[in-house]
Amino acid sequence: MDRRSFLKKSSVISAAALAGRSVLAAPEATKFPKGKAEHVIFLWLGGGMAQIDTFDPKRRGNSKASPKIAGSEYDTIDTVVPGVKFCEHLHRTAKLADRLTVMRTINHHLIDEHAFGTNFVHTGRAISGSITYPSLGSIIGHVAGPVNPNVPAYMLIGYPNVSRGPGFLGAKSGFVYLVDTESGPAGFSRPEDVTPDRVARRRHLLEPLTTRVPQDSVIAQYRAAQAEAMRLAGPDFMQHFRLDDESSELRNSYGGEFGQRCLLARRLVQAGVRFIEVSHNLNFINGTGWDTHNEGQQNQHLLIKELDIALSALITDLEQQGILDKTLIALGTEFGRPASYDGRGGRGHQGTCFSLLLAGGGLNHQGAYGVTDELSKKIVENPVSVPDYHATIHAALGIDPSQELYAGSRPVPITDGGQPVKKLFS
């Protein structure tokens, strides 16, 4: 740049600064499609669901032949959406395919390792040594808050870990979690001998200590979380965990433990919780969970059948309650599985092409979105990144995926450049 050009550009910048704006400022946020959903139920299939054996089936393979033949483990069936097929063990969900969209071209290029994949699908960003990113649930809870102020914004039905946590947003944007659906969250029911007067005295004793905590400190975040826990403790909140209040017919329609978790998630939606994550298969009913290496593949059908019962019951129940359009069901897993088999008949890891799912939420569902090759190994049409998947969820809730949060003074967009799948909003 010569001296004359430099002076000309400098004068433009100076004039803009005097006018109270900057030519260097970021451009205005691009328009994004806005949905009208109010809640999210996020079903987590830890271990890596094999898309070729579930929602993106291909030609039949054979895990017991010698040599083994790559392909789907099961036969395929038609769904109610023309041209969209599922695995034979998803026959209940197949009848509801017009209420959902399987996103068959999800992809990431991480090391295909469980912790990395779990973190990435929960946060939309790779693990960093300098910053801990918040999970999808924490972001939505932080931005939108609970629908009802008398309940938490974010609840986890499963085991907690950092990938599901609030990251740089702090403890106030964390979750309330439970493992046992019958008892509800641990610590929220007062012992019978602890009267309201005793609780009040305890708070009075604690108050001088908490008031000394600096407002902008990390400890202050935990003080806020503790205050929230105390507020929720008691029968008004705990009543939402009484599954016995539901009819035996409805409870039976949801199936086993995972189904009961999904039923509880529906109750929590009605109570006003914004985001509920529900973990599947904590008891490893097939021996290995969705991590179907080796012999775990041979009992994978047990998982798929349980998922089919619970997912179909949840969609149907939400619809009958009149809240399917405002409740987005999202299904997550850390990666998929290749069509080929390992030496003992199981499958390895595949992050470059796998399936996730969205249902309800008032979206314009397609049954399936995106096209993969003959063995669900390569993407042929309409790739969807994990940030795109997150952006679609945010947009369904009316949240701008490009909105910035702050890690200290550092602005961090909600998604890492994610773009909503516009076809679901048209």
Side-chain angles (χ1 to χ4, degrees), residues 255-307:
E257 172 62 17
F258 176 61
Q260 300 310 299
R261 294 169 183 270
C262 291
L263 173 55
L264 175 55
R266 189 270 286 168
R267 288 175 62 87
L268 292 172
V269 162
Q270 290 180 310
V273 180
R274 182 74 67 179
F275 188 102
I276 306 108
E277 177 174 329
V278 184
S279 292
H280 179 224
N281 191 39
L282 297 182
N283 297 321
F284 286 82
I285 60 174
N286 69 326
T288 65
W290 291 99
D291 192 21
T292 52
H293 297 288
N294 306 322
E295 290 78 8
Q297 178 75 17
Q298 305 310 314
N299 288 320
Q300 181 188 211
H301 63 281
L302 299 176
L303 298 181
I304 301 171
K305 289 179 177 180
E306 185 175 63
L307 174 65

Side-chain angles (χ1 to χ4, degrees), residues 341-356:
Y341 295 98
D342 60 29
R344 287 157 61 186
R347 299 195 191 275
H349 300 171
Q350 178 177 290
T352 53
C353 179
F354 61 107
S355 296
L356 300 181

Side-chain angles (χ1 to χ4, degrees), residues 159-339:
Y159 296 114
N161 65 15
V162 68
S163 295
R164 295 166 169 83
F168 64 73
L169 293 175
K172 65 183 182 301
S173 298
F175 47 73
V176 171
Y177 83 94
L178 68 151
V179 176
D180 178 15
T181 55
E182 295 295 333
S183 61
F188 281 84
S189 293
R190 300 189 189 109
E192 292 182 2
D193 62 329
V194 179
T195 65
D197 287 341
R198 290 183 66 185
V199 172
R201 289 198 298 271
R202 290 176 178 182
R203 290 182 180 178
H204 180 70
L205 289 171
L206 187 62
E207 187 175 356
L209 298 175
T210 58
T211 54
R212 300 174 189 172
V213 176
Q215 291 294 327
D216 57 350
S217 67
V218 174
I219 298 176
Q221 297 177 6
Y222 285 94
R223 181 183 64 187
Q226 183 187 54
E228 176 70 1
M230 288 182 173
R231 185 181 70 81
L232 293 173
D236 289 343
F237 176 53
M238 296 301 293
Q239 68 177 338
H240 304 303
F241 302 92
R242 296 200 303 254
L243 293 183
D244 288 340
D245 289 349
E246 303 289 343
S247 69
S248 57
E249 181 181 2
L250 180 64
R251 291 196 66 176
N252 289 337
S253 73
Y254 271 91
E257 172 62 17
F258 176 61
Q260 300 310 299
R261 294 169 183 270
C262 291
L263 173 55
L264 175 55
R266 189 270 286 168
R267 288 175 62 87
L268 292 172
V269 162
Q270 290 180 310
V273 180
R274 182 74 67 179
F275 188 102
I276 306 108
E277 177 174 329
V278 184
S279 292
H280 179 224
N281 191 39
L282 297 182
N283 297 321
F284 286 82
I285 60 174
N286 69 326
T288 65
W290 291 99
D291 192 21
T292 52
H293 297 288
N294 306 322
E295 290 78 8
Q297 178 75 17
Q298 305 310 314
N299 288 320
Q300 181 188 211
H301 63 281
L302 299 176
L303 298 181
I304 301 171
K305 289 179 177 180
E306 185 175 63
L307 174 65
D308 183 48
I309 292 170
L311 177 59
S312 61
L314 179 59
I315 293 173
T316 302
D317 190 14
L318 288 169
E319 191 167 51
Q320 291 175 348
Q321 298 286 337
I323 55 175
L324 180 61
D325 280 348
K326 67 177 184 179
T327 306
L328 181 68
I329 302 170
L331 182 147
T333 193
E334 58 262 49
F335 40 60
R337 301 270 161 181

